[in-house]
Amino acid sequence: MTSLRERGRAVGVDIPAWIESAESDADDSAQGFEEEGENLDTVGREAGTTMGALFEDELMGLGGIAAVAVGAGVEYVFTQVGDEFEEVGSRTRRYADDIGDTTSELETALSELESAHQGYEDLQTKIDELAGIPEDERDEDEWLAAIDAARWTGRAVGHAKSRVAEVVDEAETYDRFHGENISAIESDIADSVDRLGRAFGALEKVGADPNAALREFTVLYFGALLDGRTMPVDETEDLDEIADRTGVDPVDILQGIEELQEAGLAEEDPDYFYIEWVAWTLANGLTPSELVDRARQEGVDADTFDVVDGLTVVRDPQARPYLVIEDAGDAREIVRLNELLFGGAPSENDDRRDENSWSFDEDVYLVLHTGGALIATPEGILMGIGGNPIVDWFSAKGGTTWGEIFMLNGDPDDPVQELIDIIESGSTHSDGDPTLDRLLHHERIHSEQWARYGYLDFIARYLDASTDVELHTRWVPWPIPFGSWVSYPVIVERDPCLNEYEQEAGLDDGGYDCD
């Protein structure tokens, strides 16, 4: 059977050899860690009970107490190491599932590329055959059709190659994160094994020096509790769900919350969206120790995300949050909150929102009160659709950004549901459009342009960059009886690929085909 690497090489893409066996290797590794963890749990319970009872029978008073206490310490550390081994197994199992899904996606993408590549080669062969026929004998329609088909098939090959590369990047990202997570847990295991050695050392002191054994037990047991302490949230499914959603290690999330609690910026049991803010902020590049500065910069406290509980939260395929706007008066604050929840720094964009304040003062009310819908996005801008004919005029082609609002074209019967469908699918459903996250990034840059130049100046600049004036000529029957040719200017649309403002925002991200 031909390997993925060999198939990729045949169509001009590089696929790492490790991907093919990664899922089965991870499954085998996960099983080994899980079994070892269960064994250590069992050994720990038996060792703690047996050793404690043994010394308790032989010693009285303080020695017996020390024996029972240290026995409990041995049991605790054994089970802790067992839990850590099981955690490695659990994470490796999740990694195997993720890499398995990615490998399936790679198989599909590679098959599509092979099909497109074969089609392109067949067309090239046909073109070569037609090129060998003299022009006066060749079927011109067939010739032109073959060239046009080859051009489109060549583009399909390019798109298919890009998709294969994207899936390989996803697999390498999963592999990198898995390696980092396992390295952190292996460090914890090494600490626990060291602690286990000290536990047995404490047992040896029980008979000769019970006081020393108890002191050793205190350091051992309570030190282990402190090193392995968890927060109430860790006892729920919330932490694992948020960690899986954001790709952040739960240990890092807990450490970040702990830093915030020590600074008085988080409650003992923070709510779901507070934890999600911590996770997305870490996912966007901050370290747990940097969270306190970010929280102070953005005014985050234990109550910041209470308002989210009363809002409709929609998620795109990357699980990024979007908040539905219900009241025009709350729109600006909810937009800031959405950007913050996704790990952004909305205070750094407040100047832009100030310059585009007319969006919130006038346009939000207009959209919501004429049958349209608006939703806050992770990019810190609004996305809307629907409304009366006046509002429809403000959205051209696939959509248009006005200040802080990206208005999609269309007038659906249920605009809120239409926005939800678009977000959950990750696409605006228009042919050739990029993914929603890329499109919103493009539109956010347009918001920056509105703020930079101001309302009237940007309209003038954009129209100037979007249009040309051509001189047309036509025959008119004047003066009689001779008539004459007259020239007149006509405004025509310029190729959007030449528009400097679209170029700045990113032509590919805006859905412009400029090949």
Side-chain angles (χ1 to χ4, degrees), residues 10 18 39 101 135 150 239-240 258 322 350 366 368 463 481 487:
W18 63 266
N39 290 339
D101 292 342
E135 288 189 22
L239 183 63
D240 284 339
E258 194 173 307
Y322 297 69
D350 280 340
L366 177 65
L368 292 180
L463 287 175
S487 297

Side-chain angles (χ1 to χ4, degrees), residues 373-426:
L374 291 168
I375 196 161
T377 73
E379 288 289 340
I381 62 172
L382 290 163
M383 179 170 64
I385 196 169
N388 65 15
I390 296 176
V391 176
D392 289 343
W393 183 81
F394 286 93
S395 55
K397 298 185 177 178
T400 305
T401 291
W402 291 84
E404 296 293 305
I405 306 176
F406 170 47
M407 285 300 296
L408 293 163
N409 208 350
D411 193 14
D413 293 335
D414 188 342
V416 172
Q417 188 58 50
E418 180 67 15
L419 286 178
I420 291 173
D421 291 344
I422 286 170
I423 291 165
E424 290 181 343
S425 70

